[in-house]
Amino acid sequence: MFNIPRIANQFSHIIADKINQKTKPLGALGQLEQCATQLVTIFSQKVSSEAAFKAFTPVINKPTLLVFAGDHGVAAHGVSIAPSDVTSQMVTNFVSGGAAINVFCQQLGWLLEVVDCGILHPVASPSVHNCRLGSITQPLNTNMAMSIEQVYRGFDNAKQLVKQLSLKGCNTVAFGEMGIGNTTSAAAIMAAMLKLPAQQCVGKGTGVSDDIVERKIAVVEQALILHKSQFADPISLLAALGGFEIVHITGAMLAAAEQGMAVVVDGFICSAAAMIAININPTVKEYLIFAHCSNEQGHRLMLDTLNVKPLLQLDLRLGEGSGAALSLPLLQASLGFYNQMASFADAGVEQVVS
């Protein structure tokens, strides 16, 4: 399905030595050093020799953030503060440049693409990619959210989108989402994959009341009972519990890794997609950089289970890829110090060994 190459670490000793020889105490740049190591390793996969590697200058090229939008049938069961109509309204907002993600992308240098994966009211705009799998999923607590065939079509769509980005020279991608009801879907995916009770996975989403949280828990519990037989296979699990946008994000992560790109993972919904992607092909994890820990209840537990450390903790609960967008300056800074910071020898500074 996705032919993802394992990342070769043949230059790891050179990378570590270069970082350690910079004019700073060992490890003093913390997670930036880890980011630099991961990015340099990903971007140098086609470098063939040590001599070529030493002349290689890794850079983030044409960073692109794709916002995938899809509507969820479960929204009709009262699990959100907003009706499904808001999904289309927000897509219109993305197109007109008025959303937070537009501001962050423009400010920080992301190219922004908007993808209709299946929303109730399509937005007529040439700037919206048409990858519709339908108008809305089935309610996950009463039916399979979608068919297996729709999952595979979503993967094909995502693969084509990512391939086009790669052909344009993009080597770093991030994914955001918009879809009323999608925290319910993500919580159900988390509960099914981690074998956890719904209560540990369901949170307030965009800020619902305690009564709505209780309703979300009940809906997720119904879905877990109804679809229990589907959970052994990640594709069937996606069909049972996913959203059209979550399917595309999962496929896009796998496709981006196949293309040798760095993949910046946003919040709760995107991390749920990442868990499924890792289950489909564990090698994808080598390409993933987790941008932030959101304020959604289950996200910290999800990240801990994946054994990953996010770059930011800003109490975000917006979605749209906002946390992923905000991480770009840190990624650029990590490559900046790697490429430009003087070594002890270059600067004539005495190296202190602790």
Side-chain angles (χ1 to χ4, degrees):
M1 191 187 312
F2 294 94
N3 183 24
I4 302 175
R6 287 200 65 89
I7 291 181
N9 293 299
Q10 70 267 33
F11 305 125
S12 60
H13 62 293
I14 303 174
I15 296 170
D17 185 63
K18 183 170 179 175
I19 290 173
N20 291 339
Q21 291 298 318
K22 300 294 186 183
T23 46
K24 60 174 182 59
L26 284 174
L29 287 176
Q31 280 184 266
L32 290 184
E33 298 189 17
Q34 298 161 28
C35 279
T37 300
Q38 186 176 5
L39 287 171
V40 175
T41 304
I42 291 170
F43 294 158
S44 65
Q45 288 303 292
K46 294 181 181 179
V47 178
S48 58
S49 67
E50 281 199 12
F53 179 78
K54 289 177 180 178
F56 173 65
T57 302
V59 293
I60 291 172
N61 193 41
K62 296 186 179 179
T64 304
L65 195 150
L66 291 89
V67 178
F68 295 98
D71 269 313
H72 292 252
V74 74
H77 290 245
V79 296
S80 179
I81 58 174
S84 292
D85 290 349
V86 171
T87 303
S88 299
Q89 292 165 11
M90 281 303 299
V91 170
T92 300
N93 195 23
F94 298 148
V95 170
S96 62
I101 195 59
N102 298 97
V103 175
F104 296 159
C105 285
Q106 184 175 14
Q107 182 181 38
L108 300 173
W110 290 97
L111 301 171
L112 179 63
E113 304 277 351
V114 182
V115 185
D116 177 359
C117 305
I119 59 179
L120 266 178
H121 309 295
V123 175
S125 171
S127 61
V128 176
H129 295 278
N130 180 2
C131 293
R132 293 173 60 80
L133 302 179
S135 295
I136 192 169
T137 62
Q138 294 294 312
L140 54 81
N141 59 321
T142 60
N143 299 86
M144 295 283 285
M146 69 195 80
S147 68
I148 297 290
E149 187 270 339
Q150 285 172 304
V151 174
Y152 282 118
R153 271 204 291 135
F155 282 4
D156 287 341
N157 292 341
K159 195 165 187 173
Q160 290 306 310
L161 286 171
V162 169
K163 186 175 180 180
Q164 289 303 310
L165 294 180
S166 180
L167 290 172
K168 293 176 183 177
C170 170
N171 67 359
T172 303
V173 291
F175 308 117
E177 38 63 38
M178 178 63 219
I180 298 300
N182 64 9
T183 58
T184 301
S185 178
I189 290 168
M190 176 184 178
M193 294 203 73
L194 302 185
K195 298 180 173 58
L196 293 172
Q199 193 166 9
Q200 284 186 249
C201 305
V202 171
K204 286 183 174 289
T206 50
V208 300
S209 66
D210 290 341
D211 288 344
I212 294 179
V213 170
E214 290 303 316
R215 198 173 306 147
K216 286 175 71 173
I217 291 170
V219 163
V220 171
E221 287 173 342
Q222 291 167 9
L224 294 175
I225 293 168
L226 178 64
H227 301 300
K228 187 176 181 180
S229 63
Q230 307 294 332
F231 298 161
D233 173 65
I235 304 299
S236 298
L237 187 150
L238 256 184
L241 303 176
F244 293 149
E245 81 281 35
I246 295 174
V247 166
H248 279 80
I249 293 168
T250 303
M253 288 177 175
L254 292 161
E258 186 176 45
Q259 293 292 330
M261 296 177 172
V263 180
V264 185
V265 182
D266 190 51
F268 184 61
I269 287 96
C270 287
S271 295
M275 285 200 305
I276 298 174
I278 291 167
N279 194 275
I280 292 171
N281 190 326
T283 305
V284 72
K285 189 178 178 183
E286 299 176 16
Y287 296 83
L288 304 182
I289 298 168
F290 288 79
H292 75 118
C293 181
S294 79
N295 209 28
E296 182 68 5
Q297 173 184 295
H299 196 208
R300 169 57 65 186
L301 178 56
M302 197 184 283
L303 296 173
D304 288 345
T305 302
L306 288 169
N307 193 30
V308 295
K309 188 175 181 182
L311 291 172
L312 297 166
Q313 171 80 61
L314 298 172
D315 294 336
L316 304 179
R317 51 182 176 83
L318 176 62
E320 302 179 9
S322 50
L326 291 169
S327 73
L328 182 59
L330 298 179
L331 304 181
Q332 291 168 326
S334 71
L335 290 183
F337 95 78
Y338 180 87
N339 290 326
Q340 299 167 22
M341 188 175 175
S343 68
F344 287 103
D346 292 337
V349 175
E350 182 177 346
Q351 184 173 8
V352 178
V353 180
S354 58

